[in-house]
Amino acid sequence: MNKGIAIYPGSFDPPTNGHLDLMERGAKIFEELVIAILRNSEKSPMFSVAERLEMLRALTGHLKNVRIDTFDGLMVEYAKSMQAVCILRGIRAISDYEYELQMALMNRKLEPTLETVFMMPADKYSYVSSRLVREVAQAGGPVKGLVPEIVEQKLREKIDPAYKFRDEPREIVPEIIGGREKKRKKRA
Ligand code: PNS
């Protein structure tokens, strides 16, 4: 186990199984891992910072050396204030590499003593991103297996309380229309 604190910064909007996989891997190799949610993102998030904090706390409860926090402004300044020795970021595919390299080199320019460590999540999550999860869920598609169950539940509640995912069991119920009994599919 590496001595010192590592920061895993990100938007986590929402946290995915890929994020969780990386947290579990990171927790094994760092003494302490701080998951840091960016507060001042320009993007308009689907989940508030408080909601993301709550989800991440619930998801990492079993990882005793993992802590959840939020930050504002420059990430390297936050990392310094936490006396972190490195930044953890995930790389899924080559398409992530260019952005991550740019960010790592900019962070190194800003704070040369801080190293960025890249880890790969399990290959089964290599196509999973928060953006695609939001897109699929907003369009009514199933996100089972892509996000932890509590996140799936939060997505249901967020999108539309009346909205039902496609993979839920459907029940056939009789409906009386104009005196005739018609069968329709009712989404549970
Ligand atoms: O999950 P994301 O959205 O890819 O995470 C990006 C994040 C939050 C790590 C990055 O945008 C960041 O660190 N922002 C804080 C501002 C900062 O330090 N910018 C300079 C980094 S090159």
Side-chain angles (χ1 to χ4, degrees):
M1 189 184 284
N2 263 0
K3 285 261 178 252
I5 298 175
I7 309 283
Y8 179 16
S11 307
F12 307 106
D13 184 35
T16 66
N17 279 341
H19 290 133
L20 189 58
D21 180 277
L22 210 79
M23 288 166 201
E24 285 168 348
R25 288 172 200 278
K28 282 189 204 148
I29 64 166
F30 297 109
E31 191 179 6
E32 191 178 351
L33 183 63
V34 178
I35 316 297
I37 308 166
L38 176 64
R39 277 202 307 268
N40 62 347
S41 172
E42 282 166 22
K43 309 169 207 165
S44 49
M46 177 180 244
F47 291 97
S48 70
V49 171
E51 287 172 319
R52 284 176 272 161
L53 252 175
E54 190 194 318
M55 285 190 273
L56 284 167
R57 281 200 180 122
L59 295 173
T60 57
H62 63 297
L63 303 170
K64 297 303 164 214
N65 60 337
V66 169
R67 157 154 81 103
I68 318 296
D69 197 10
T70 65
F71 77 104
D72 228 341
L74 276 183
M75 203 270 297
V76 292
E77 292 300 329
Y78 168 74
K80 266 200 295 183
S81 75
M82 298 293 285
Q83 295 172 331
V85 291
C86 83
I87 300 159
L88 173 65
R89 290 285 291 173
I91 290 201
R92 293 161 296 193
I94 198 75
S95 49
D96 283 339
Y97 179 73
E98 208 173 325
Y99 169 63
E100 293 297 334
L101 176 72
Q102 252 186 335
M103 197 156 67
L105 294 179
M106 179 60 82
N107 283 333
R108 180 182 281 168
K109 172 85 181 149
L110 295 167
E111 181 46 64
T113 62
L114 205 58
E115 291 297 338
T116 298
V117 172
F118 293 119
M119 291 182 79
M120 290 157 292
D123 56 350
K124 62 182 171 186
Y125 302 130
S126 60
Y127 63 94
V128 179
S129 70
S130 298
R131 184 181 62 81
L132 285 183
V133 163
R134 287 196 305 270
E135 212 170 291
V136 170
Q138 269 162 340
V143 292
K144 204 182 264 313
L146 308 181
V147 292
E149 269 176 36
I150 35 173
V151 176
E152 201 185 333
Q153 185 57 38
K154 292 278 176 200
L155 279 164
R156 287 170 202 239
E157 292 164 13
K158 178 69 63 181
I159 289 163
D160 179 359
Y163 167 83
K164 302 294 175 211
F165 284 91
R166 284 184 194 138
D167 60 351
E168 281 197 336
R170 293 171 193 185
E171 186 195 338
I172 310 287
V173 293
E175 190 185 35
I176 310 293
I177 299 175
R180 274 180 54 215
E181 187 179 271
K182 191 182 162 194
K183 293 220 165 181
R184 75 171 169 87
K185 279 188 174 181
K186 182 189 166 204
R187 292 185 175 188

